[in-house]
Amino acid sequence: MRPIMLLMLAAVAVSSASATVAASSRPPMNPAVPRKAPSNFEEAIDRADQAVRAKDWPGVYQALRPLLNTDELAAQTGERRHAILLMFATAALVTNHADEALAQIKIASTMPQAEGHTWFIRMYAAAVLDDGAEALASLARLADLSPDEARALPHDMVLGIHELVSRMDKPSEALAQFDGILFRLGWQSDSALSEPDFLWTEYAGILLDRGDVAGARTVVARVSSPEQIIEMRADRRFDPVVRRGDPAFDPRRAALAQLAKLTQAAKASPDKLEPLLGQVGEMRRLGQFDAAQALIEAAIARVKAKGDKAYADFEDQSNWLYDIQARLLMDAGRVDEALAIQARGAQVQENGDDNTSQVLNLGDQYVSLGRPKEALAAIAKVGGMSGYGQMVRLYVEGCAQAQLGNTAKVQANIAEMRKLWPVNADALQDLLVCSGDLDGAAQVLIRRLADPQERTDTLADLQDFHDRGFTPPFAKVMGERLETILARPDVQAAIAEVGRIETYDLWPRDT
């Protein structure tokens, strides 16, 4: 979850709570009564109020923390006590004291003054602490009390909570509740590059597993993204709700509609990169490489002329601008130019942090080109990352070591990746393919196909798309090895049992 977004949300909560505290702080003064010196409690409230106005979140935290669990706080009116707890919890979140924030917001949420934003802060604190169950319960309460606020949840936050919920003890039940809440709210992503359709596909699959075909059909009617349509066509579980001859389930038609939507969004917001990058990505999927390259070159020229003022969201999106520029150059076989652009993009921060995604992408590109030493150098200083990112790093490092003949290091990475299963199991499969262990890779693939939570994504990865104009040499080797695996009778049987492989008049979006 992006720190800047948290600060914006915190400002709303703290300002609101501060106003409540100030408005109910002291009784009206009687001029005939000598004025008493303010108590330490009131002095602390004044300091907190001043810190709020100065956007000094550590100051808010430090002023209010000594007041917790005191008789003075307990003596305040319910409205004022709730506002103080809300203000403290929000400041504690911003200053990286999520455990303290959650403890106090739990108290505030039991009070009659608790409204939607109280539960929003409780949900956020739980998510920061990786408590999926608490975050899900808080989301449910937020949706009941303030559906508009729940409906406006940012995409980054929804993704973060979704990941936590998917790791709960009974993920299918938890995801059904999570997806169902968002579906009933009609939640829409605030990102032009990210549709909520993956949630609806997941939800429909869970409903189908429960035998609720009618419910699944209602959910599927909201799916329009090409990726999700391909996933549903590939997975036999969706056969009761997918009408294969219906234009609504034609991936190329969906891609064209998506392109039209993103093109319009880019025209409507010429000062933003995000919709433009979405438009270019969709053009690339449809094979419109020259037109996509022209748009990117125009965007790059604008950045060169105006710097970081060229686009309102340049700070957030610049790394992805360089990423897609590099991909288009690689598509055209302009390898050195592509690598130079990727190296530049890897130096741009990602959401205010080290650019882990681009660093790993650069390392992966070197591996695909059969340049292992450069791959290892590229990822040598990679920073903190999620479990998914750890699996990518282990793959890049392991595949580079395989190309160098370092079998012991490859096996060590494979062992570590097995411990992280099922996070990004695709990366483990790829490392086994890279190392030449096709039997091991086939076993992982069969296991992924047998796992209801892995199956749909796994089948989608196996679909047949157009080849790129340029395929890096080791990527070609990997593709040939995968074809050998797919020809095995045991793999063919595993695929046929749960899905199918189809050929599409599209290019793969993310390769």
Side-chain angles (χ1 to χ4, degrees), residues 25 34 43 57 119 156 169 176 196 204 212 218 223 245 256 265 271 278 301 337 360 380-381 441 473 497 504:
S25 57
E43 287 178 347
W57 313 120
W119 287 94
D156 287 353
D169 290 339
D212 185 0
T218 299
V223 175
L256 289 167
D271 63 328
E337 292 174 80
L360 293 175
K381 296 182 180 180
E497 183 177 351
Y504 294 102

Side-chain angles (χ1 to χ4, degrees), residues 94-108:
V94 178
T95 54
N96 299 317
H97 297 92
D99 53 342
E100 296 180 55
L102 184 58
Q104 298 305 318
I105 205 67
K106 280 185 175 181
I107 298 172

Side-chain angles (χ1 to χ4, degrees), residues 95-175:
T95 54
N96 299 317
H97 297 92
D99 53 342
E100 296 180 55
L102 184 58
Q104 298 305 318
I105 205 67
K106 280 185 175 181
I107 298 172
S109 61
T110 65
M111 302 173 68
Q113 292 80 13
E115 297 180 345
H117 202 77
T118 307
W119 287 94
F120 169 82
I121 296 296
R122 180 167 174 169
M123 178 189 69
Y124 205 131
V128 171
L129 293 169
D130 291 343
D131 188 340
E134 175 66 39
L136 178 56
S138 299
L139 170 63
R141 189 68 178 133
L142 171 63
D144 287 340
L145 290 174
S146 183
D148 287 343
E149 188 169 5
R151 194 176 294 114
L153 289 176
H155 179 80
D156 287 353
M157 180 178 288
V158 169
L159 280 188
I161 297 174
H162 177 268
E163 182 180 351
L164 294 176
V165 171
S166 69
R167 300 203 304 258
M168 289 172 61
D169 290 339
K170 296 181 179 179
S172 180
E173 294 180 13
L175 287 169

